[in-house]
Amino acid sequence: MPKKYIIAIDQGTTSSRVVVVNKEGDVLYKEQMPVAINETRNGEILQDPQELIDSVLVLLDRTFKRHQIDPNEVCSIGITNQRETTIMWDKNTGKAFYNVISWQSKHTIDITNDWISRGYEEMVLRKTGLKINPYFSASKIKYILDVCKPNIDNVMFGTVDTYLLWHLTKRQVFKTDITNASRTLLYNIFEEKWDDEILEKFEIPKSILPEVVDTDDYFGDFEYNGVKIPINAMIGDQQSSLFGHQCFNEGDLKATYGTGCFILINTNSTPVISSSGLLTTPAWKIGGKTTYALEGSVFMAGAVVQWLRDDLKILRSANESEQMALKSNTNDIYVVPAFVGLGTPYWDSQVRASILGINRKTNQNDIIRAALNSIGYQIEDVLKILKHEMNREITSISSDGGASRNNYLLQFQADISNLRVIQTKEMEVTALGAAYIAGLKSGFWKNQQEIERNKKIKQLFYPRINENERNRLYSNWKRAVEATISFRPMK
Ligand code: ADP
């Protein structure tokens, strides 16, 4: 039977998805299911391990049945996943020792503060490209070991990719790929191995860690109705979206405008170590060659729109923000959305949000426009640092994520960053990346050029304002941020 499809699994923070991709790179079918995320009273952000695996199994089953896909028609499977999220389970019983600790959970900050106070920061950055932070897996692993005190001989640790793989292969394969390994804080991205010195300092035994392999590999088979389908790719979600956008060359950049915004730029074979808090990360290792990326993030992107809708209640839907922003005719109001502090390049966790420059005539459309502008300004802040650290110009942004459907926002981004913004036709760019890699490995697509022919663009946005106006707006944004940071209310 001819191989007509690649299946990609995208296990994300708030939902699991399974998509079916054809030779032309179209997502023909998509099955999706929300997954719960719970915050406990002491600030732990947790997920249910069984729910993660069940959701994926149910969606795979649904994909075959609802769309009448014969498993023999599926060439291979790619897996992409939320990164850093930590699961530890018993290798004999399969039972998790603790709930899944989400990447968002910061409750292990005492552990990371202890590591910082012991002076490990410089050494860890030099080896992993990352700052010591509870966001990454290492302190979550230590926490589970400390709390559960399991018999180490029986422990398996995995990020979500590893955990899914172990289940999908009927407990046969215990592996991760380099992009996921590199987000644990335990992986030396220069020597490409688990780092013995870090493991010793963090008191984490190597025996619990999966084997690290290339992003394209034969990861084992998923069996459906007696048919074995090879799993040929595993990759962290942001890196997958970089691949899905076909950012194959040095300097190619993508921004995913979701709840927050993740900006990754391809730095080719050079791991650029940042002096301003950007993260250095392998983008993928394909055909034995490692490609690196530099990553910056903005905490509040689409979340600002959620706030306008759910808390300020001046929007009925996120979609409506585009039309309402276009009704406003001012850019002289500034929202600084520091709801949880500010990230790159300010790194201030104390500062809180502000709205500046309002007058007697200001209305809700003006506030909505200023809020959308704030997403554009924050991304421009990151782009400026990226350009500086890479010492090169950036020519375009490939965009995806919920808020990238907002044409007003993308036009503003093109204006303020003075570059071309690409809106892709395909929404599931993250899943597409894993599908492309699996398909290349399994010969579904012969080479990258064949994939490049599949690129479909919905719309392009070009800068429309002049340099004086751009400089005026951006300087005022900087002033607004400064004023906001300097406001330190008494407790
Ligand atoms: P995530 O994967 O982080 O959950 P999504 O990519 O699904 O995020 O995007 C959801 C976010 O995008 C929400 O924060 C929502 O407010 C925002 N969003 C969705 N549609 C629009 C729109 N048309 N304009 C602006 N923001 C939007």
Side-chain angles (χ1 to χ4, degrees):
M1 194 170 271
K3 301 289 181 197
K4 297 204 297 207
Y5 311 115
I6 299 287
I7 286 185
I9 298 167
D10 177 2
Q11 203 305 303
T13 313
T14 55
S15 77
S16 298
R17 296 171 203 192
V18 168
V19 306
V20 178
V21 180
N22 67 5
K23 270 252 162 66
E24 287 68 46
D26 300 316
V27 172
L28 295 180
Y29 312 113
K30 171 171 122 178
E31 293 295 335
Q32 181 168 359
M33 191 187 283
V35 290
I37 183 152
N38 300 307
E39 183 159 358
T40 65
R41 241 181 281 143
N42 57 348
E44 295 178 43
I45 304 183
L46 304 173
Q47 299 195 283
D48 176 359
Q50 199 58 44
E51 189 182 358
L52 296 193
I53 182 67
D54 286 350
S55 65
V56 168
L57 290 171
V58 167
L59 291 171
L60 282 166
D61 187 50
R62 219 180 258 176
T63 300
F64 287 110
K65 290 201 174 121
R66 277 198 184 158
H67 308 293
Q68 289 163 11
I69 291 173
D70 184 325
N72 287 298
E73 294 173 318
V74 179
C75 187
S76 64
I77 296 177
I79 299 175
T80 180
N81 55 286
Q82 50 169 319
R83 305 174 301 174
E84 297 101 11
T85 295
T86 298
I87 314 169
M88 287 166 72
W89 67 96
D90 186 306
K91 67 164 76 146
N92 300 314
T93 64
K95 203 172 155 359
F97 293 109
Y98 204 78
N99 274 319
V100 178
I101 304 185
S102 165
W103 58 274
Q104 295 172 321
S105 196
K106 295 283 173 71
H107 74 281
T108 54
I109 190 140
D110 291 345
I111 298 175
T112 49
N113 280 344
D114 177 48
W115 290 341
I116 292 169
S117 73
R118 288 167 192 254
Y120 299 156
E121 239 184 337
E122 196 277 327
M123 181 266 296
V124 170
L125 176 68
R126 189 164 37 78
K127 292 174 173 223
T128 66
L130 309 174
K131 285 160 93 85
I132 293 182
N133 191 293
Y135 172 50
F136 305 111
S137 316
S139 62
K140 304 179 202 291
I141 299 175
K142 181 82 172 84
Y143 179 83
I144 297 176
L145 290 176
D146 289 350
V147 171
C148 301
K149 302 193 173 34
N151 176 352
I152 283 299
D153 294 341
N154 298 336
V155 178
M156 284 180 154
F157 151 77
T159 39
V160 170
D161 55 315
T162 305
Y163 182 67
L164 291 180
L165 182 69
W166 195 69
H167 281 281
L168 293 173
T169 58
K170 298 189 181 143
R171 304 182 174 188
Q172 295 296 308
V173 185
F174 184 50
K175 287 184 181 174
T176 188
D177 95 297
I178 178 170
T179 65
N180 279 295
S182 71
R183 313 294 295 198
T184 57
L185 211 64
L186 304 172
Y187 190 73
N188 189 319
I189 60 169
F190 301 94
E191 295 175 9
E192 295 194 351
K193 57 176 198 185
W194 297 119
D195 192 276
D196 290 326
E197 184 183 359
I198 299 180
L199 288 170
E200 191 205 311
K201 296 266 191 304
F202 288 180
E203 298 171 307
I204 294 175
K206 200 175 185 173
S207 62
I208 68 173
L209 305 176
E211 180 190 350
V212 186
V213 296
D214 293 5
T215 308
D216 64 337
D217 200 276
Y218 167 58
F219 287 92
D221 296 319
F222 170 64
E223 197 173 322
Y224 188 80
N225 281 355
V227 180
K228 287 184 172 161
I229 310 170
I231 299 167
N232 277 139
M234 294 214 299
I235 182 166
D237 53 7
Q238 297 308 323
Q239 286 95 330
S240 189
S241 125
L242 191 70
F243 201 91
H245 278 294
Q246 305 194 6
C247 291
F248 300 142
N249 299 311
E250 184 172 341
D252 288 352
L253 177 139
K254 73 96 192 184
T256 300
Y257 293 75
T259 310
C261 185
F262 287 93
I263 302 141
L264 266 75
I265 188 165
N266 182 324
T267 67
N268 205 346
S269 50
T270 319
V272 179
I273 292 284
S274 163
S275 49
S276 354
L278 299 174
L279 308 176
T280 311
T281 195
W284 47 76
K285 185 171 184 184
I286 293 179
K289 179 181 176 279
T290 308
T291 298
Y292 295 88
L294 206 52
E295 173 174 328
S297 52
V298 166
F299 301 148
M300 285 278 157
V304 185
V305 178
Q306 273 166 281
W307 172 71
L308 297 174
R309 187 192 58 196
D310 302 340
D311 300 280
L312 267 197
K313 298 193 193 314
I314 56 174
L315 275 178
R316 276 190 306 251
S317 70
N319 274 343
E320 204 180 41
S321 63
E322 179 177 331
Q323 287 316 314
M324 291 178 77
L326 287 168
K327 282 189 198 143
S328 161
N329 57 9
T330 178
N331 281 326
D332 293 332
I333 295 167
Y334 289 82
V335 167
V336 180
F339 295 96
V340 288
L342 287 171
T344 320
Y346 310 103
W347 298 112
D348 187 329
S349 55
Q350 303 299 319
V351 55
R352 285 298 169 266
S354 70
I355 304 177
L356 296 172
I358 51 179
N359 62 36
R360 184 66 183 74
K361 289 273 172 233
T362 301
N363 62 36
Q364 57 194 20
N365 297 331
D366 303 330
I367 304 284
I368 290 164
R369 183 176 177 122
L372 290 174
N373 290 357
S374 79
I375 302 173
Y377 287 124
Q378 292 179 93
I379 289 166
E380 175 56 13
D381 286 336
V382 173
L383 295 182
K384 280 210 159 34
I385 302 284
L386 281 172
K387 283 190 248 186
H388 175 73
E389 302 237 334
M390 287 188 68
N391 196 19
R392 66 172 295 150
E393 279 307 307
I394 294 167
T395 50
S396 65
I397 301 181
S398 298
S399 67
D400 68 308
S404 75
R405 298 294 116 178
N406 188 311
N407 293 348
Y408 169 80
L409 172 60
L410 295 198
Q411 182 58 52
F412 184 75
Q413 191 73 67
D415 287 341
I416 204 67
S417 300
N418 195 26
L419 42 74
R420 189 175 68 144
V421 180
I422 303 166
Q423 190 179 47
T424 49
K425 205 152 164 231
E426 183 48 65
M427 285 289 280
E428 298 298 327
V429 184
T430 303
L432 204 53
Y436 279 153
I437 297 169
L440 281 170
K441 177 76 179 171
S442 53
F444 188 70
W445 291 288
K446 277 195 230 34
N447 49 38
Q448 224 164 272
Q449 288 72 29
E450 215 174 286
I451 285 176
E452 276 163 352
R453 269 182 245 131
N454 286 341
K455 188 160 179 158
K456 293 174 192 83
I457 291 170
K458 185 166 177 223
Q459 211 173 329
L460 293 171
F461 298 84
Y462 292 94
R464 285 195 199 145
I465 61 173
N466 66 35
E467 200 178 330
N468 280 345
E469 180 62 358
R470 178 175 309 115
N471 290 341
R472 186 183 78 81
L473 291 174
Y474 189 69
S475 324
N476 283 342
W477 160 253
K478 287 299 226 190
R479 280 160 206 249
V481 173
E482 252 170 58
T484 306
I485 287 177
S486 68
F487 176 63
R488 293 280 180 212
M490 282 192 298
K491 293 280 183 247

